[in-house]
Amino acid sequence: MTDTRLEFRNVTKKFQDRLGSGRTIVAVEGVTLSVQDGEVVSLIGPSGCGKSTLLNMASGLSETSGGKVFVDDDEVVSVNEHVSFMLQKDLLLAWRTIRENVEFGLEIHGLPRDERRRRSDDWLARCKIADFADHYPHQLSGGMRQRAALARTLATDPHVLLLDEPFSALDAQTKMILQQDLARTLSEAGKTALFITHDLVEAVALSDRVLVMSQRPGKIIEEIIVDIPGRADPMERRKDPKIGPYVGQLMSLLHVGEAELEPV
Amino acid sequence: MTSAFTPSRIAASLGILVVFLAGWEWGPGALGIKTYLIPPLSSVAAGLMDLFRADNLWFHIWVTTLEVVAGFVMGSLLGVIGGYALGLSVTMEVVLSPYILALQIAPKVAFAPLFVLWFGFGLEPRILIAVLIVFFPVLINVMTAVRNIDPDLINLARSFKASRMQVFWKIQAPASMPPLFAGLRIGATLAVIGVAVGEFAGGNSGVGYLIVLTAGAAETPKVFAAIFVLTVIGMLAYWLVILAENRVLHYMPSREHKGF
């Protein structure tokens, strides 16, 4: 097994505009990137630059129009069980308890009951929601629900985690606590993650590297290596004086504040 | 969880019942309405007793209940199957929906005499009307529910390599349960209407038949009593659906508040 967990080689994605015209839209173009074992890499860019499209191709839910995606050196041609994703929506199933939700992927993978139970116990505890194992999702706060979603994502022991703005719907303080727990959990488990976010501080605080994408058609225009110690402790990292310059650099790359807000 | 059924609300609800019953008993007399048009409550009660004694009411209740249950079960099953088929397959929906819509818009009760002609004076024509009436709301609710499932939920299951069957049984079927039950509730009340119309159209059994029979003889108290019996059957059917719903959808938020 090599050190590269996830790799995009010259990946392009086009699709037909469904609204009337039927013209071809190039969502992402010529994206090449790789994520090493145990690395956390953030992907930032303007809205609609194709970040989520990249994740869909990495998970095998959507095909590339050109180029290839590899997970553990195997080309992704269909859904890949070594990849697990987590979205802004928790996607918890309302009719299942938190434990049953955490076991959802394991159940589909056909694991025996005892093994499922052992793993869900483990991840419920690590994600600090063991006390709510028998609750239904509607009984939990947004932050707790995202913890459950994280436990479900990790329970199948994926090699690569795809995180698509998982904390963007949470309030600022809950968000910081969950970032802290996520960072520690990823570090302890030695997991590899590709993290999409709009939050520049979040991107810097949580990652080893930050990749910046351009507007559509999305290309990677810059790679920033975050040279701040303690990736497993974003709370401390946030206080580091180097955060400011990194965020400033990202702001200028993304032209934040340079133009009027686009009409929606 | 606090209950919505506070003592004062229950008292208010019972108050309406008392006023209604009192109005029925003494209102027509006070307004000078002939008792053969609107008989007072007491003679309706007497009529009910009469139906039990002289007209073999238990037998007719049994027939009607059987038809309602058969019509409801078959209609719902067809509706559920059709709803999933149309919800899961765009082809099926595009090909079949105009005909299903036509079937829905056609006044099915108008078919009652025809069904009697075809199937005779037995239970079949009544059950058939109930099936046709129950079918549609269940179908529409299930179809819409399947269509409205968050595609990301399906993708989540797919990302774990779920098969189509697993996606159906673990996501689509449970996710469509709340609207399915809403459809069943409507279906339960409609089944009684379908059966009653079928009984009007022909035959010599069922509570609907008793209504035609007694109305023809101007035995108004008995007509009212039979309507009351039909209402009770409908309410029982509705209540059974609610009972099943509360068991199946126990995970839903704030079901504790709901009575009906």
Side-chain angles (χ1 to χ4, degrees):
Chain A
M1 190 170 288
T2 63
D3 284 329
T4 303
R5 284 293 189 191
L6 174 66
E7 189 179 3
F8 284 75
R9 282 187 208 157
N10 199 23
V11 169
T12 297
K13 178 70 180 181
K14 298 171 186 169
F15 52 87
Q16 301 294 317
D17 186 2
R18 288 191 190 161
L19 298 172
S21 66
R23 68 204 158 94
T24 303
I25 291 175
V26 182
V28 293
E29 192 169 43
V31 169
T32 297
L33 68 90
S34 66
V35 185
Q36 306 302 309
D37 185 40
E39 217 183 3
V40 175
V41 174
S42 282
L43 206 53
I44 63 169
S47 302
C49 73
K51 301 184 295 283
S52 301
T53 309
L54 288 182
L55 288 204
N56 282 335
M57 290 187 289
S59 65
L61 289 169
S62 128
E63 293 174 355
T64 65
S65 312
K68 287 173 178 175
V69 182
F70 296 85
V71 170
D72 295 332
D73 284 341
D74 293 324
E75 188 183 344
V76 176
V77 287
S78 65
V79 174
N80 187 321
E81 63 198 22
H82 297 307
V83 174
S84 207
F85 70 78
M86 177 175 171
L87 308 183
Q88 178 184 340
K89 290 182 278 188
D90 55 66
L91 297 180
L92 295 175
L93 305 174
W95 53 92
R96 285 172 170 251
T97 62
I98 294 303
R99 175 188 297 286
E100 288 164 348
N101 267 290
V102 172
E103 292 181 5
F104 181 61
L106 305 172
E107 205 179 294
I108 291 175
H109 287 175
L111 265 71
R113 178 184 264 275
D114 292 353
E115 177 63 14
R116 293 205 306 258
R117 178 91 190 187
R118 198 186 61 72
R119 288 223 214 164
S120 60
D121 275 340
D122 182 25
W123 284 108
L124 286 164
R126 287 212 240 177
C127 296
K128 302 180 182 170
I129 39 164
D131 291 344
F132 301 97
D134 298 320
H135 286 58
Y136 284 95
H138 76 86
Q139 298 170 305
L140 268 58
S141 67
M144 285 297 178
R145 292 167 62 113
Q146 275 313 58
R147 284 176 190 277
L150 180 63
R152 177 194 58 211
T153 308
L154 287 162
T156 51
D157 198 20
H159 296 174
V160 177
L161 274 87
L162 303 173
L163 307 164
D164 192 352
E165 301 192 48
F167 306 137
S168 58
L170 303 176
D171 68 82
Q173 287 176 36
T174 306
K175 187 172 177 173
M176 291 209 300
I177 295 167
L178 259 73
Q179 285 168 349
Q180 184 76 2
D181 288 345
L182 172 73
R184 187 172 299 145
T185 310
L186 289 178
S187 169
E188 280 170 6
K191 292 293 178 196
T192 307
L194 187 60
F195 192 100
I196 289 181
T197 178
H198 275 114
D199 180 335
L200 306 182
V201 179
E202 179 174 76
V204 176
L206 264 74
S207 327
D208 296 301
R209 279 189 290 144
V210 179
L211 300 174
V212 183
M213 287 182 78
S214 66
Q215 283 189 331
R216 185 183 287 168
K219 292 174 196 157
I220 292 181
I221 52 171
E222 185 68 71
E223 175 188 52
I224 295 171
I225 294 167
V226 181
D227 184 24
I228 307 174
R231 198 203 73 199
D233 191 358
M235 293 258 195
E236 273 309 308
R237 256 183 159 198
R238 274 173 180 274
K239 298 177 200 159
D240 195 290
K242 278 190 254 177
I243 283 274
Y246 279 125
V247 172
Q249 192 184 350
L250 292 173
M251 284 170 72
S252 59
L253 283 165
L254 294 169
H255 309 290
V256 177
E258 287 173 23
E260 292 293 309
L261 284 174
E262 289 173 44
V264 175
Chain B
M1 200 68 73
T2 51
S3 171
F5 291 89
T6 59
S8 59
R9 285 173 180 167
I10 293 172
S13 187
L14 287 176
I16 291 174
L17 181 68
V18 170
V19 169
F20 173 73
L21 293 179
W24 192 352
E25 178 64 34
W26 292 292
L31 295 170
I33 296 169
K34 304 245 180 344
T35 54
Y36 66 83
L37 293 179
I38 300 181
L41 183 64
S42 50
S43 55
V44 172
L48 184 63
M49 292 302 121
D50 241 22
L51 282 178
F52 276 116
R53 262 198 311 272
D55 299 291
N56 205 4
L57 181 57
W58 280 120
F59 164 73
H60 296 290
I61 288 176
W62 162 245
V63 169
T64 298
T65 306
L66 197 70
E67 292 161 351
V68 168
V69 170
F72 173 73
V73 169
M74 287 194 270
S76 317
L77 267 178
L78 283 175
V80 168
I81 293 169
Y84 283 122
L86 266 61
L88 295 172
S89 158
V90 179
T91 310
M92 291 274 255
E93 194 201 353
V94 172
V95 173
L96 294 179
S97 60
Y99 307 106
I100 290 173
L101 190 66
L103 188 64
Q104 169 59 9
I105 293 170
K108 284 161 294 293
V109 291
F111 285 95
L114 204 56
F115 289 162
V116 172
L117 199 67
W118 291 346
F119 300 106
F121 293 122
L123 310 191
E124 296 89 343
R126 294 100 175 258
I127 294 174
L128 187 59
I129 295 168
V131 167
L132 287 179
I133 294 188
V134 170
F135 170 73
F136 200 75
V138 178
L139 174 126
I140 288 296
N141 275 28
V142 171
M143 184 183 87
T144 319
V146 173
R147 283 286 154 80
N148 288 342
I149 294 173
D150 183 348
D152 282 328
L153 278 181
I154 312 274
N155 278 340
L156 175 75
R158 282 180 57 210
S159 80
F160 291 126
K161 291 200 134 177
S163 65
R164 272 189 82 143
M165 287 306 273
Q166 281 176 318
V167 171
F168 179 75
W169 287 111
K170 290 184 190 292
I171 304 277
Q172 286 160 326
S176 54
M177 280 300 140
L180 189 153
F181 272 101
L184 291 183
R185 287 185 190 204
I186 302 169
T189 54
L190 292 182
V192 180
I193 296 174
V195 161
V197 171
E199 289 171 349
F200 291 167
N204 55 6
S205 63
V207 181
Y209 159 75
L210 281 184
I211 291 176
V212 176
L213 182 76
T214 53
E219 294 182 282
T220 338
K222 285 186 175 181
V223 176
F224 275 98
I227 292 172
F228 171 74
V229 169
L230 270 183
T231 308
V232 170
I233 293 173
M235 285 174 78
L236 279 175
Y238 188 80
W239 177 72
L240 282 173
V241 172
I242 298 281
L243 214 63
E245 182 176 335
N246 284 340
R247 284 188 71 95
V248 174
L249 302 182
H250 62 89
Y251 58 84
M252 293 283 279
S254 68
R255 292 202 72 73
E256 295 90 341
H257 290 293
K258 291 179 189 160
F260 298 98

